[in-house]
Amino acid sequence: MSSSNQHLALITKTTSLIAAGDIVGAESALAELADSDGDGALMVVLDQLAPKDILAVMREYDDSKASVVNMLVTPEQFARAMVLEKQYKDLTHTHLRNMVNAVVFRDDADPVEFLTAIGDLEGGAEALANYFAEKWSRIEAFARTGTFDATEDYGVTLSDDELLASGYVQPRIDLDEVADRDWMQMAWLLRYECRDLFIEMLLVLRAKARAFDQGREEGEETSEEDDGKFETSETDRGKATPAARASDEESAI
């Protein structure tokens, strides 16, 4: 059997196993390919698998064993899968956070490459907002103070305008101080390495919180005028963030 036919057969098998709920079997099939034909062969297959199938395997992350998919998935493949995670309607977002930490902070990865790929996709900021959902007050405090001091969690929140104006603040703590391979390191990288994306993510997180306070839970039926999506046209992919405004001003000059 030619390698292309072998890959097609494996893709069909993997997809069928995932559809049947056998995620462990699907990952084992992919791992066997890597063992027999090398990592390059698996990367070819991952590039042809549907993002939802890659997501299904990655969501079942088990920190007691290495996952060959988590180790080899590219930033672009990961981003396409991550923006679909909300379809699982996991209100705790535990699987999402474990999956993101396992991939973005793997030993050979550049976390900023992954964050950039996520931010480049529609729904990327919302996926990151879901990642931080359980840490909203801590993220607001970090945006305001530049630290992760828990005593600051309940201070006055920056207004949206103040948040937008804070785009170029300098770090008050070093990355090494928060390199926990978890939400604090993620927040620091977003705040100082992907500044527009951090602001966009926090604006979406605020919109989600307001919607929740108004009794509109995620997944609830909405009218045509209000399709349940959070408006981000004036954030990073729109015109409001500092980098976008600076670019507009330069072009005007």
Side-chain angles (χ1 to χ4, degrees), residues 198-210:
F198 176 82
I199 293 172
E200 183 181 7
M201 176 278 297
L202 188 48
L203 290 174
V204 174
L205 192 54
R206 289 177 177 183
K208 283 177 169 287
R210 286 194 296 268

Side-chain angles (χ1 to χ4, degrees), residues 127-248:
L128 287 168
N130 288 337
Y131 172 92
F132 288 112
E134 298 296 310
K135 302 293 182 181
W136 179 37
S137 64
R138 306 298 303 275
I139 298 302
E140 288 284 9
F142 176 55
R144 186 180 74 256
T145 68
T147 71
F148 292 101
D149 185 346
T151 62
E152 297 286 350
D153 283 6
Y154 301 102
V156 177
T157 299
L158 292 178
S159 69
D160 288 357
D161 287 341
E162 288 171 334
L163 177 62
L164 291 167
S166 71
Y168 294 111
V169 296
Q170 295 304 305
R172 291 187 58 190
I173 53 177
D174 293 332
L175 177 58
D176 289 345
E177 298 178 58
V178 293
D180 60 351
R181 296 193 174 208
D182 199 354
W183 68 272
M184 285 195 291
Q185 184 172 354
M186 185 74 73
W188 194 101
L189 289 169
L190 280 171
R191 187 75 174 102
Y192 303 117
E193 300 290 343
C194 306
R195 294 171 182 265
D196 284 352
L197 183 55
F198 176 82
I199 293 172
E200 183 181 7
M201 176 278 297
L202 188 48
L203 290 174
V204 174
L205 192 54
R206 289 177 177 183
K208 283 177 169 287
R210 286 194 296 268
F212 183 81
D213 287 343
Q214 294 165 6
R216 289 173 46 204
E217 296 184 359
E218 290 181 7
E220 187 176 303
E221 290 292 331
T222 54
S223 66
E224 286 187 16
E225 292 77 13
D226 182 1
D227 61 4
K229 295 180 180 178
F230 298 102
E231 180 56 56
T232 59
S233 61
E234 290 300 320
T235 57
D236 188 40
R237 304 300 166 249
K239 305 294 183 183
T241 52
R245 291 204 306 269
S247 176
D248 289 344

Side-chain angles (χ1 to χ4, degrees), residues 9-234:
L10 178 60
I11 291 168
T12 302
K13 177 182 178 181
T14 302
T15 302
S16 298
L17 287 169
I18 291 171
D22 186 1
I23 308 301
V24 173
E27 183 171 15
S28 294
L30 295 171
E32 287 173 9
L33 175 66
D35 289 340
S36 62
D37 292 16
D39 292 349
L42 177 56
M43 293 182 74
V44 170
V45 169
L46 289 179
D47 204 39
Q48 298 177 65
L49 271 178
K52 66 180 180 63
D53 292 331
I54 294 177
L55 173 63
V57 174
M58 291 192 300
R59 278 190 94 251
E60 297 305 314
Y61 169 70
D62 179 356
D63 61 6
S64 67
K65 61 183 179 66
S67 165
V68 68
V69 175
N70 286 353
M71 289 189 293
L72 294 178
V73 67
T74 67
E76 292 73 23
Q77 291 166 348
F78 181 75
R80 289 193 293 269
M82 182 178 170
V83 297
L84 300 177
E85 203 277 339
K86 65 181 180 180
Q87 296 177 6
Y88 283 85
K89 301 187 185 302
D90 175 12
L91 297 182
T92 68
H93 303 296
T94 301
H95 284 279
L96 172 64
R97 193 162 134 191
N98 289 341
M99 176 185 78
V100 171
N101 290 344
V103 174
V104 173
F105 295 124
R106 71 191 188 200
D107 290 340
D108 68 334
D110 177 357
V112 174
E113 285 188 17
F114 281 90
L115 293 176
T116 300
I118 294 165
D120 283 343
L121 292 183
E122 181 179 353
E126 183 180 357
L128 287 168
N130 288 337
Y131 172 92
F132 288 112
E134 298 296 310
K135 302 293 182 181
W136 179 37
S137 64
R138 306 298 303 275
I139 298 302
E140 288 284 9
F142 176 55
R144 186 180 74 256
T145 68
T147 71
F148 292 101
D149 185 346
T151 62
E152 297 286 350
D153 283 6
Y154 301 102
V156 177
T157 299
L158 292 178
S159 69
D160 288 357
D161 287 341
E162 288 171 334
L163 177 62
L164 291 167
S166 71
Y168 294 111
V169 296
Q170 295 304 305
R172 291 187 58 190
I173 53 177
D174 293 332
L175 177 58
D176 289 345
E177 298 178 58
V178 293
D180 60 351
R181 296 193 174 208
D182 199 354
W183 68 272
M184 285 195 291
Q185 184 172 354
M186 185 74 73
W188 194 101
L189 289 169
L190 280 171
R191 187 75 174 102
Y192 303 117
E193 300 290 343
C194 306
R195 294 171 182 265
D196 284 352
L197 183 55
F198 176 82
I199 293 172
E200 183 181 7
M201 176 278 297
L202 188 48
L203 290 174
V204 174
L205 192 54
R206 289 177 177 183
K208 283 177 169 287
R210 286 194 296 268
F212 183 81
D213 287 343
Q214 294 165 6
R216 289 173 46 204
E217 296 184 359
E218 290 181 7
E220 187 176 303
E221 290 292 331
T222 54
S223 66
E224 286 187 16
E225 292 77 13
D226 182 1
D227 61 4
K229 295 180 180 178
F230 298 102
E231 180 56 56
T232 59
S233 61
E234 290 300 320

